[in-house]
Amino acid sequence: MAVVVAYLDVAATTRVDSRVADVVLHWMTEDFGNAGSRTHEYGTRAKKAVQEARAFLASTVGAKTEELIFTSGATESNNIALLGIAPHGEKHQRRHIITSAIEHKAVIEPLLHLQDRGFEIDFLEPGPSGRISTEAVLERLRPDTLLVSLMHVNNETGIIQPVAELAEELRKTPTLFHVDAAQGYGKIPQDLTAPIDMISISGHKIGAPKGVGALVTRRRGWDRVPLEPIMFGGGQERKLRPGTLPVPLIMGLYEAAKVFREGQARWERDALAMRERMLAAFDGTRFHINGDPAHSVPHILNVTFEGLNAEALIVRLKEQVAVATGSACTSASYTPSHVLTAMGLPEELATNGLRFSWFPSQIADFDPGEIAATIARMQPAPSA
């Protein structure tokens, strides 16, 4: 008999909603046309469907239909935004970029590439709260600051960054603002309606398939964000992202966004209730919450259990619960988390942070008391 393992790693990926899967299958097997085909009804239906999806998804962040392009996910969106803006910065002698040291590797690595090209990158550190302040960003602005790139929600700690407040301030300057919203899209919808110039979205964090996302490039008045393509070969998606549009995945993202928006209030309430249950269960252990709980999304909790190695704990818990030490993109590495290290946490905390992340509807029968009991048994006696 198979062991039922509670899945508490939705920050890595979510299960595709069954309603979404039905939509994807329909566009794979029935309305399977290429949205770029103009000579028959199959292509016409696909193109119309894609435009409907584009309009809806743009509206969820207060953008216009033509301000959203489809990509394979937030990593590609980040690369288009960061590498695509670089030629404009080089042309106008604006090679200064502000970001944080807690960004996902999909932001940090493209920026390190730009650093090799002569850009100056300021990596701000948040301190133990895990939150970058608006004031810290504004203090670093210079006449040659091309861009600020700050994530919406940190993927390891769940800490919400002040992107809406910062967007309002940066709109008063010529500096552009990019937000990696992979973890926050759909969960805190009001933040992303702020005047953010570029927003990266990923579908598989809200019940859509892997391999689809979007990049929003919001105009300032009549001015487009001055991006140049980083790939070539077809000119689809405003000549910024070539390639045949994956209509089934796009329609899956569309359906997932609709489903999530309809249930967002209940999701938030139930996710918070599960968080409170987990923290109550952990009261029987000795633990430290990494990041400021007052600024956290309800469904991500990063904790370190005193005296316990996170990797050993994951092995012990693997038949009870699926959890992670941090980003799925770096989980093969046993080095301290770059996020927790940048927060200035002691090595024991930074090395042994454990991330729990959940969608409450998928773990309705989960009892956090069972894993808390296992953890309590494993913990050594407190030192005198």
Side-chain angles (χ1 to χ4, degrees), residues 105-223:
K105 295 295 185 182
V107 166
I108 290 177
E109 292 188 7
L111 289 179
L112 291 176
H113 173 74
L114 291 182
Q115 188 170 261
D116 290 340
R117 282 172 52 174
F119 282 77
E120 181 182 349
I121 315 296
D122 263 343
F123 290 97
L124 304 183
E125 296 185 348
S129 71
R131 185 172 162 93
I132 303 291
S133 72
T134 298
E135 293 73 23
V137 175
L138 297 179
E139 286 172 3
R140 298 291 185 98
L141 287 182
R142 306 185 328 207
D144 65 336
T145 304
L146 171 66
L147 180 74
V148 172
S149 182
L150 187 65
M151 67 193 338
H152 185 199
V153 172
N154 185 266
N155 52 294
E156 293 193 23
T157 63
I159 301 302
I160 306 164
Q161 306 302 323
V163 296
E165 178 185 354
L166 187 54
E168 297 291 348
E169 294 299 322
L170 290 176
R171 269 287 159 136
K172 304 170 186 175
T173 78
T175 298
L176 296 169
F177 187 27
H178 166 252
V179 170
D180 176 358
Q183 289 293 346
Y185 176 72
K187 284 99 172 185
I188 318 170
Q190 64 276 13
D191 279 2
L192 300 181
T193 60
I196 301 165
D197 297 292
M198 295 184 283
I199 302 172
S200 298
I201 295 168
S202 193
H204 72 106
K205 309 297 186 180
I206 58 166
K210 300 171 187 67
V212 65
L215 175 65
V216 173
T217 57
R218 191 181 267 115
R219 289 176 181 263
R220 289 195 178 193
W222 294 103
D223 297 329

Side-chain angles (χ1 to χ4, degrees), residues 286-304:
R286 301 188 306 283
F287 71 99
H288 178 272
I289 299 176
N290 299 317
D292 182 358
H295 293 288
S296 176
V297 287
H299 71 296
I300 298 177
L301 178 65
N302 191 301
V303 297
T304 300

Side-chain angles (χ1 to χ4, degrees), residues 288-357:
H288 178 272
I289 299 176
N290 299 317
D292 182 358
H295 293 288
S296 176
V297 287
H299 71 296
I300 298 177
L301 178 65
N302 191 301
V303 297
T304 300
F305 294 95
E306 183 182 317
L308 292 183
N309 175 275
E311 296 294 338
L313 187 52
I314 286 174
V315 172
R316 178 68 70 88
L317 296 175
K318 68 179 181 179
E319 293 187 355
Q320 293 177 276
V321 64
V323 294
T325 54
S327 170
C329 300
T330 56
S331 60
S333 171
Y334 297 106
T335 57
S337 158
H338 78 279
V339 171
L340 302 185
T341 299
M343 290 164 57
L345 299 182
E347 184 176 356
E348 181 184 1
L349 296 181
T351 305
N352 293 304
L354 202 60
R355 182 186 68 188
F356 298 87
S357 55

